[in-house]
Amino acid sequence: MPSAPLVAAAVGARVSLRPNLSLLADRCATPRALARVHAAMIVSGRLAEDAFAASRLLTAYAALSPDPAAAALALLSSLPCAPNSFMLNTTLRVLASSPDPAAAFPFFSRLRVTGALAPGRHTFPFLLKAAARLPLPLPVTEQLHALAVRHGIHLDAYVANGLVRGYSVAGRLRAARRVFDGVPERNAAVYTTMVSAYAQNGRHEDAMAAFDEMVRVGFEPGGAALASVLSACARSASGGLEMGRHVHDLMVARGMAVGTILGTALIDMYVKNGAIKEAFAVLDGLPERHVPGAWNALISGLAHHGHSERALDLFRRMQQEGVPPNATTLVGALSACSHPGLLDEARRLFRSMEKDFGITPGIQHYGCMVDLLGRAGLLSEAEDMIRRMSCEADTMIWGALLTACKNHGGIEIAERAAVEMLKLDPSNHGVYVVLSNLYAEAGRWQDVDKLRKEMKGARLSKIPGASAVDGDGSLEQPESPPPQGNVLV
DNA sequence: TTAGGGTTAG
């Protein structure tokens, strides 16, 4: 907010500033410059009489402030007149993309109750964006869907786009698809969201088909659609390389700049499909080679394919070229060691992480080490490593140790790993199976029997074999998340 | 004259 001296300074500039204030607000590069324009708007009376100028000010404040949500709300409450729907919707947008998207809902409820805002087709996209960013997106998305139907705007392409996104992040692909199919006039946004909704839910062939349709009906795919479809091509069981090449050709034909994100997506697509030469060619052709992203995709992809030496060579080349490795690079390099069991090389890398690269090991780095130690039969060392980790252990890492115990017959360590796994996931009956087999192999039949009784006590032996796969092969969550109450009043 | 989409490596 403008200070008294700024207001005083603005009074002097009153006449000359008046015509261009809203344009000036757009061009301000610093909050201080903006506060000066704001002050001028106050003294000229422009803020009170011109909703357009006030709106530009709000957008400019949100863009410049380190806390856009607070800035937008502060400006709203300081206004001399009632804010218009543009400003309120803009504030909703700011809240929806803030670190606390849930704040959009009490704000919206207040506006509805007081009648300050009639929700329209610019309101729902922001509310749905906030809903999609909640830990449990489904209940609010459903409530907003119902509300949009009541307002008769659920078929608007941007509203539908928000619904598709909300259902997709909630894992409700069929609902997302139904909304998408019902949109009479689709736009590039809703196509893009559909492509990424597939890609992100493991429906790679569907993502490729949606992309194909998007291009066929004449929409220009942007970076997000391209990155999503390339990700699908990288993971698809069949036809991924062909489609990926086609996408790459399309990018070249349209003269699109291949930056880090698309370059990384292309490399990932090629290397995951075994087209290693082409993956290297993309990396070598990238203009921005000093960022680790694209290197990481290639290193990890090579490691994934069992080309450990090439992955480690590339890791060394990266350092020679002065590209700083990050945490992901080290996951790739360590997993390259993992496949052929290069324990010494991995130990050296692990030690150098903090010392040479300033990277604190995370769960995935520890995971690689535990895997390597476990496969070498160094079970105690693996257990020590898990217990001394700076980060929280998960069931994956204890599971790696348990598997190693299974292969090397370490019953006592297996028992401790099982206890830790069951603490984290009491319903994991695979733990009992592994432990039971270990006891049986050692001829400890009393322990096998005891374990069986424990399983019965925990009702683990009679878990029904429910399937989460629908008739059409789509994966859906079998149950709704717990009710969360109506956040829309 | 002001607003709406989406993304890569592990």
Side-chain angles (χ1 to χ4, degrees), chain A residues 159-200:
Chain A
V159 176
N161 177 55
L163 290 169
V164 170
R165 175 102 188 120
Y167 282 123
S168 140
V169 299
R172 298 292 175 129
L173 268 189
R174 271 185 308 157
R177 183 81 214 189
R178 263 198 304 276
V179 172
F180 178 80
D181 287 340
V183 182
E185 285 184 50
R186 295 175 194 156
N187 58 11
V190 72
Y191 265 107
T192 302
T193 303
M194 204 66 218
V195 173
S196 103
Y198 281 37
Q200 290 180 348

Side-chain angles (χ1 to χ4, degrees), chain A residues 422 426-437 447-463:
Chain A
L422 289 170
S427 70
N428 190 330
H429 50 294
V431 175
Y432 287 96
V433 176
V434 173
L435 209 53
S436 165
N437 287 344
D447 288 319
V448 173
D449 201 46
K450 207 175 109 196
L451 205 59
R452 200 169 288 160
K453 286 187 180 121
E454 259 179 55
M455 278 182 81
K456 259 193 184 148
R459 294 173 186 236
L460 283 172
S461 53
K462 289 192 179 171
I463 287 176

Side-chain angles (χ1 to χ4, degrees), chain A residues 195-213:
Chain A
V195 173
S196 103
Y198 281 37
Q200 290 180 348
N201 283 277
R203 302 275 291 264
H204 310 306
E205 282 75 20
D206 291 337
M208 295 195 294
F211 180 86
D212 213 40
E213 189 184 320

Side-chain angles (χ1 to χ4, degrees), chain A residues 208 233 238-249 269 273:
Chain A
M208 295 195 294
C233 293
S238 72
L241 183 58
E242 198 191 344
M243 178 74 178
R245 283 198 175 115
H246 171 69
V247 174
H248 192 180
D249 288 345
M269 182 275 294
N273 281 294

